[in-house]
């Protein structure tokens, strides 16, 4: 039998996707951790007297040393402009730094009008001194006016603390879930995929969805409580809470429900009619069947005649059914194609419509959906002792088994 090359291709794609997502998540998490450290350290620059914050910040000098202080820099204003928006005004200051050779352009938003003389923009236009306060390479505060006293105006930038950790941590948690899910799928396809049924994608899709949901839970935790430990614990608890019941449920389903589908009793066909079945084997049993499989009271075979009245070619030998099971991923595509639902061309659609009319005429309201595979052994004739697989929908499998038994009796 052919090996499941498709499983290895899918596993390779999933593994590559997992490596990319987890590779992006790692530096982003380091950025989030650094942002959290900046937030924690920034709270240490506040002046606290008698256990209460005073609203003042520590600036580097004789009493306060780095890193827990703001670095003060006096600058001169060369030019200033502003742009009015709906809720605020965007100001731009062109500044000359202390060495008089370097210039910088600083943009900030303020709700105060540019006509107010006591605002930072108004004081800068009036020629009052402007001081920048730096924290870890970014301007955290702009002050215009005197350094001491109450006659001054201050604007805090968007970096002022508390949310540096949130966005990178939330995105990292989402990437964790989206990366660990394909990694799980790749490992399952490589280690267990070929030995498991192919009735649907639940064997690996359910853990992937559980891990993706855990990533979303971690992102919500990052938005609610900006702490690295909270995000990690939320992700881990959600992953375990969702994964363990899902895996136990899948284990129970595999051991209990799937074998019950294989308890199929043979039924003797009353007339020759088509079923949506396929045969796969080696040598003379490697049949290139383009049409459906035909079963009848004493025969099972193929024919190019849609009415199955002439040129009915029986199978080349008698078969003995060893087992009836769901299709495995290692099975050839010809016998497990029912669970893939490929694109149907015009000929396939016409054949599908003919089969639906036949099912309706026999009192069946819907076309079968569950595929089954009959594992057979050639007991006489060409290819004796080899294994042959016959795939058919669940509703057609009883008549297929009955036709196999009748064909074997007629051959003997």
């Amino acid at each position: 039998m052919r090996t499941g090359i498709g499983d290895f291709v899918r596993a390779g794609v999933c593994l590559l996707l997992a490596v990319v997502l987890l590779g992006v998540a790692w530096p982003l998490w380091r950025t989030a951790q650094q942002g959290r450290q900046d937030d924690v350290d920034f709270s240490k620059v506040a002046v606290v007297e008698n256990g209460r914050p005073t609203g003042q910040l520590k600036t580097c000098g004789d009493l306060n040393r780095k890193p827990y202080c703001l670095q003060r820099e006096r600058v001169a204003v060369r030019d200033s402009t502003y742009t009015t928006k709906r809720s605020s005004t965007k100001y731009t200051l062109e500044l000359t730094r202390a060495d008089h050779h370097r210039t910088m352009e600083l943009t900030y938003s303020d709700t105060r009008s540019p006509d107010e003389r006591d605002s930072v923009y108004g004081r800068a236009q009036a020629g009052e001194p402007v001081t920048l306060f730096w924290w870890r390479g970014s301007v955290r505060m702009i002050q215009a006016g005197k350094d001491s006293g109450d006659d001054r105006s201050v604007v805090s930038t968007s970096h002022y603390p508390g949310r540096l950790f949130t966005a990178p941590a939330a995105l990292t948690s989402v990437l964790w879930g989206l990366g660990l899910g394909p990694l799980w799928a790749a490992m399952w396809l490589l280690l267990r995929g070929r030995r498991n049924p192919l009735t649907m994608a639940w064997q690996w899709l359910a853990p992937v969805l559980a891990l993706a949901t855990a990533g979303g839970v971690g992102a919500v935790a990052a938005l609610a409580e900006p702490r690295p430990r909270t995000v990690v614990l939320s992700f881990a608890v959600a992953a375990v809470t969702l994964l363990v019941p899902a895996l136990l449920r899948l284990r129970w389903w595999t051991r209990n429900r799937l074998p019950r589908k294989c308890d199929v009793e043979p039924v003797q066909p009353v007339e020759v009619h088509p079923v949506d079945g396929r045969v796969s084997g080696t040598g003379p049993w490697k049949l290139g069947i383009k049409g459906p499989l035909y079963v009848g009271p004493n025969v099972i075979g193929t024919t190019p005649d849609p009415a199955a009245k002439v040129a009915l070619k029986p199978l080349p030998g008698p078969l003995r059914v060893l087992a009836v099971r769901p299709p495995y991923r290692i099975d050839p595509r010809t016998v497990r194609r029912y669970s893939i639902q490929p694109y149907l061309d015009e000929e396939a659609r016409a054949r599908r419509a003919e089969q639906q009319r036949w099912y309706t005429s026999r009192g069946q309201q819907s076309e079968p959906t569950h595929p089954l595979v009959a594992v057979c052994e050639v007991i006489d004739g060409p290819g004796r002792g080899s294994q042959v697989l016959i795939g058919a929908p669940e509703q057609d499998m009883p008549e297929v088994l009955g036709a196999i038994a009748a064909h074997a009796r007629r051959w003997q």
Side-chain angles (χ1 to χ4, degrees):
M1 297 298 173
R2 296 182 301 174
T3 57
I5 301 299
D7 287 340
F8 291 99
V9 174
R10 296 185 191 96
V13 173
C14 291
L15 188 61
L16 179 61
L17 182 62
V19 170
V20 172
L21 293 176
L22 296 178
V24 174
W26 175 247
L28 193 62
W29 178 249
R30 297 296 298 270
T31 302
Q33 287 181 317
Q34 182 61 42
R36 171 61 181 172
Q37 190 64 37
D38 289 350
D39 286 345
V40 172
D41 290 344
F42 193 85
S43 63
K44 299 178 182 178
V45 304
V47 178
V48 179
E49 293 181 355
N50 298 325
R52 296 182 179 180
T54 62
Q56 299 178 357
L57 299 175
K58 299 177 183 178
T59 56
C60 298
D62 296 336
L63 298 179
N64 303 310
R65 299 293 181 180
K66 292 182 179 180
Y68 303 120
C69 62
L70 289 172
Q71 185 177 356
R72 186 202 314 260
E73 180 183 4
R74 182 68 62 85
V75 294
V77 179
R78 294 181 57 183
D79 192 11
S80 59
T81 58
Y82 68 90
T83 302
T84 304
K85 295 184 177 181
R86 292 183 179 180
S87 58
S88 63
T89 304
K90 187 176 182 180
Y91 297 94
T92 302
L93 302 179
E94 187 177 347
L95 308 172
T96 302
R97 306 188 72 171
D99 57 7
H100 300 287
H101 296 291
R102 294 183 298 165
T103 60
M104 65 178 297
E105 192 174 272
L106 189 64
T107 302
Y108 67 96
S109 297
D110 195 358
T111 57
R112 304 183 69 175
S113 171
D115 298 330
E116 296 185 28
R117 295 300 179 184
D118 59 344
S119 64
V120 171
Y121 179 78
R123 291 178 183 273
Q125 274 197 324
E128 295 188 25
V130 175
T131 304
L132 305 181
F133 292 87
W134 295 80
W135 170 257
R136 300 204 174 182
S138 62
V139 177
R140 300 300 176 94
M141 193 168 63
I142 308 170
Q143 176 183 298
K146 299 179 181 180
D147 291 341
S148 60
D150 296 331
D151 190 15
R152 59 183 178 180
S153 298
V154 176
V155 172
S156 299
T157 67
S158 59
H159 288 286
Y160 184 75
R163 311 309 295 176
L164 296 180
F165 166 82
T166 300
L171 184 56
T172 301
S173 180
V174 173
L175 291 177
W176 281 350
L178 297 179
L180 291 177
L183 182 62
W184 180 289
M187 298 302 295
W188 189 90
L189 288 171
L190 290 175
L191 300 178
R192 299 285 300 175
R194 297 173 59 195
R195 295 193 295 255
N196 278 263
L198 188 69
T199 54
M200 56 190 299
W202 51 262
Q203 295 102 329
W204 61 270
L205 184 59
V208 169
L209 293 178
L211 291 171
T213 305
V217 172
V220 173
L223 297 174
E225 182 65 26
R227 293 182 181 179
R229 184 177 180 181
T230 303
V231 177
V232 174
L233 288 178
S234 300
F235 180 87
V237 170
V240 172
T241 303
L242 295 174
L243 269 179
V244 171
L247 295 179
L248 292 177
R249 174 69 177 177
L250 295 180
R251 178 184 173 88
W252 175 84
W253 181 273
T254 304
R255 295 196 171 200
N256 296 278
R257 294 300 299 274
L258 287 181
R260 293 180 186 175
K261 293 182 180 179
C262 304
D263 298 333
V264 181
E265 295 293 334
V267 174
Q268 185 74 19
V270 296
E271 61 179 353
V272 178
H273 63 272
V275 297
D276 193 9
R278 295 294 184 271
V279 181
S280 176
T282 58
W285 293 92
K286 191 175 183 180
L287 303 178
I289 302 176
K290 295 184 178 179
L293 186 67
Y294 285 84
V295 297
N298 298 312
V299 69
I300 176 172
T302 61
T303 177
D305 179 19
K309 295 181 179 179
V310 296
L312 181 61
K313 182 180 179 181
L315 295 183
L319 299 175
R320 178 175 58 195
V321 179
L322 302 179
V324 179
R325 57 170 174 77
Y328 287 179
R329 305 186 77 89
I330 194 175
D331 292 341
R333 186 181 178 88
T334 54
V335 299
R336 63 179 175 89
R337 66 184 182 87
Y338 312 99
S339 57
I340 300 176
Q341 297 296 333
Y343 171 77
L344 300 178
D345 54 15
E346 293 184 2
E347 180 183 356
R349 285 197 295 269
R351 185 169 66 252
R352 180 67 58 88
E354 179 184 354
Q355 292 175 1
Q356 288 179 345
R357 289 194 298 270
W358 182 81
Y359 286 132
T360 304
S361 65
R362 292 175 61 88
Q364 298 173 353
Q365 300 299 323
S366 61
E367 188 180 357
T369 55
H370 299 292
L372 291 177
V373 173
V375 182
C376 306
E377 181 186 7
V378 181
I379 58 179
D380 197 4
R384 182 176 181 178
S386 62
Q387 191 177 86
V388 176
L389 301 180
I390 300 180
E394 185 181 20
Q395 288 180 270
D396 290 332
M397 185 56 73
E399 291 188 331
V400 171
L401 298 181
I404 291 174
H407 177 65
R409 288 194 298 267
R410 184 177 181 183
W411 181 278
Q412 293 175 355

